[in-house]
């Protein structure tokens, strides 16, 4: 009895995870030069559509992946937080490039020193900027995470403002 | 293009002593102006056809090898349309909270430019209609383009 319950649950989970990872929809959201590489990754040469992630949504309500593609300046923090809070759970965050990961060369008063200060980050993609292949690899890492049933960082990493980014 | 002689003479006649120095740098006229007469000089130039204020900015000479007597230098770029002549005005202002007269009544374009100079250098403008910060958050402390502002902000300012 208990065993067949868990068997069904596992199968449903697997089906759900397959659906989730096959249609990760990123938020249309570019901050800097990394956004150029992000756009390129959806274009025919790299064709992110092969991995089910090419539908960039104009509304955070329809997106479940935020690709932070560039440096976040201090004044942008409330806007980034609000966009993140408006996304429906479960949701994932990629810190694309050196600036989103650690502020890169911008060791100064104006730039947030890594977007993980304000958001729970799932995957860090290194590079300045990362090539489209690197970003696609990062997205596949998130798909891998979903396939293995790991929770998004939003549920696992404590950040200021709580898991949804607001409280 | 250099300042034509007639304009220079009219400036000298109308506002004696206002122009401290006139020089030509790479084909463009630069007038060093007494800060107190800055507004009068601007009005005169505006009335003589300099109808386009291209830019308002400032320089903090604190750390420069050859500092000027006044710590801050305000810089105004004017242009005459049609014609395309350009003039650059410079005026020195000093003190921890330096003040200059706003020229936003002459060129509305100065409103944002002077807000930027106020935000980043802490120079206040008398007669400005809306002197708020424009680049930094409203509750920011300090003026980041001052040479004595720490690159990484004041302690605690980096926390988000």
């Amino acid at each position: 009895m208990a065993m067949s319950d868990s068997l069904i649950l596992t199968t449903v989970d697997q089906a759900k995870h397959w659906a989730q990872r096959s249609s990760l929809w990123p938020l249309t959201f570019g901050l800097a030069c990394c956004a150029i590489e992000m756009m390129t990754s959806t274009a025919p040469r790299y064709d992110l559509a092969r991995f089910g992630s090419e539908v960039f949504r104009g509304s955070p309500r329809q997106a479940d992946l935020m690709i932070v593609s560039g440096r976040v300046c201090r004044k942008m923090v409330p806007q980034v937080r609000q966009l993140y809070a408006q996304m429906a759970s479960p949701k994932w965050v990629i810190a694309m490039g050196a600036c989103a990961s650690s502020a890169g060369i911008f060791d100064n008063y104006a730039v947030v020193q890594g977007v993980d200060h304000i958001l729970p980050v799932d995957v860090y993609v290194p590079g300045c900027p990362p090539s489209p292949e690197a970003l696609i690899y990062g997205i596949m890492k998130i798909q891998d995470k979903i396939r293995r049933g790991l929770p998004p960082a939003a549920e696992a990493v404590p950040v200021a403002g709580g898991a949804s980014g607001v409280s | 293009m250099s300042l034509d002689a007639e304009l220079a003479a009219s400036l000298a006649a109308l506002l004696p002593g206002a122009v401290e120095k006139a020089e030509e740098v790479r084909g463009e006229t630069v007038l060093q102006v007494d800060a107190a007469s800055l507004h009068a000089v601007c009005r005169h130039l505006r009335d003589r056809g300099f109808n386009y204020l291209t830019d308002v900015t400032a320089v903090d000479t604190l750390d420069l090898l050859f500092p000027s007597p006044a710590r801050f230098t305000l810089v105004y770029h004017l242009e005459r349309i049609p014609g395309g002549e350009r003039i650059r005005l410079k005026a020195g202002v000093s003190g921890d909270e330096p003040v200059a007269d706003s020229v936003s009544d002459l060129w509305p374009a100065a409103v944002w430019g002077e807000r930027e100079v106020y935000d980043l250098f802490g120079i206040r403008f008398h007669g400005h209609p809306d002197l708020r910060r424009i680049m930094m958050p409203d509750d920011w402390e300090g003026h980041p383009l001052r040479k004595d502002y720490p690159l990484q902000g004041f302690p605690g300012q980096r926390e988000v």
Side-chain angles (χ1 to χ4, degrees):
Chain A
M1 188 67 173
M3 199 176 157
S4 62
D5 274 350
S6 66
L7 191 65
I8 291 167
L9 269 178
T10 309
T11 311
V12 169
D13 270 359
Q14 274 182 356
K16 190 182 84 179
H17 293 156
W18 171 79
Q20 274 181 344
R21 73 171 187 269
S22 307
S23 65
L24 276 174
W25 286 3
L27 180 62
T28 306
F29 174 62
L31 286 174
C33 28
C34 277
I36 305 297
E37 301 297 308
M38 181 175 73
M39 289 183 272
T40 307
S41 64
T42 67
R45 189 177 181 101
Y46 295 96
D47 197 8
L48 191 51
R50 291 175 295 160
F51 309 103
S53 250
E54 82 289 6
V55 192
F56 279 74
R57 306 312 298 189
S59 162
R61 306 286 185 197
Q62 301 171 345
D64 54 8
L65 172 62
M66 178 181 260
I67 302 174
V68 183
S69 54
R71 65 234 166 334
V72 180
C73 72
R74 304 285 305 246
K75 214 175 173 183
M76 274 290 282
V77 169
Q79 287 82 350
V80 173
R81 274 195 172 133
Q82 184 173 0
L83 284 171
Y84 178 75
Q86 285 174 333
M87 287 163 59
S89 287
K91 50 192 171 184
W92 293 267
V93 176
I94 290 181
M96 180 183 182
C99 294
S101 302
S102 70
I105 60 170
F106 300 104
D107 184 11
N108 64 30
Y109 63 92
V111 176
V112 176
Q113 301 295 302
V115 77
D116 50 6
H117 286 270
I118 58 168
L119 298 177
V121 175
D122 289 274
V123 170
Y124 299 83
V125 179
C128 185
S131 60
E133 295 97 325
L135 177 63
I136 291 171
Y137 183 70
I139 289 170
M140 293 176 77
K141 277 289 170 196
I142 287 194
Q143 292 174 332
D144 193 39
K145 205 171 159 175
I146 298 169
R147 187 177 53 76
R148 285 156 56 197
L150 299 172
E155 290 161 27
V157 179
V159 285
S164 62
V166 284
S167 74
Chain B
M1 203 171 294
S2 65
L3 185 69
D4 63 69
E6 188 270 328
L7 190 55
S10 69
L11 259 178
L14 194 75
L15 305 156
V19 177
E20 293 163 348
K21 194 170 79 173
E23 56 183 337
E24 196 171 318
V25 180
R26 297 200 182 99
E28 289 184 1
T29 302
V30 182
L31 301 183
Q32 181 78 38
V33 177
D34 173 32
S37 339
L38 182 67
H39 189 274
V41 172
C42 282
R43 178 185 295 278
H44 188 72
L45 290 173
R46 201 262 327 246
D47 292 346
R48 292 298 179 116
F50 285 90
N51 49 3
Y52 180 32
L53 176 73
T54 321
D55 196 14
V56 183
T57 185
V59 182
D60 183 356
T61 58
L62 187 66
D63 280 352
L64 293 189
L65 199 54
F66 304 103
S68 69
R71 174 171 168 186
F72 297 98
T73 305
L74 283 164
V75 186
Y76 297 77
H77 294 251
L78 310 180
E79 187 170 339
R80 181 144 60 182
I81 301 174
E85 299 100 327
R86 290 164 187 262
I87 286 185
R88 193 177 305 132
L89 303 180
K90 291 185 176 183
V93 283
S94 309
D96 218 31
E97 291 195 354
V99 180
D101 284 327
S102 172
V103 295
S104 55
D105 55 330
L106 303 174
W107 299 281
V111 172
W112 279 17
E114 288 176 350
R115 275 179 67 185
E116 187 179 339
V117 170
Y118 160 68
D119 188 1
L120 300 178
F121 290 93
I123 300 171
R124 299 190 154 271
F125 291 91
H126 263 315
H128 191 287
D130 182 28
L131 198 62
R132 286 179 294 133
R133 288 184 181 272
I134 192 170
M135 318 280 275
M136 303 307 294
D138 292 335
D139 58 351
W140 197 256
E141 212 182 297
H143 303 285
L145 283 192
R146 286 191 175 190
K147 295 293 182 196
D148 53 2
Y149 184 89
L151 176 62
Q152 293 164 353
F154 294 126
Q157 244 178 352
R158 295 186 106 180
E159 266 84 271
V160 278

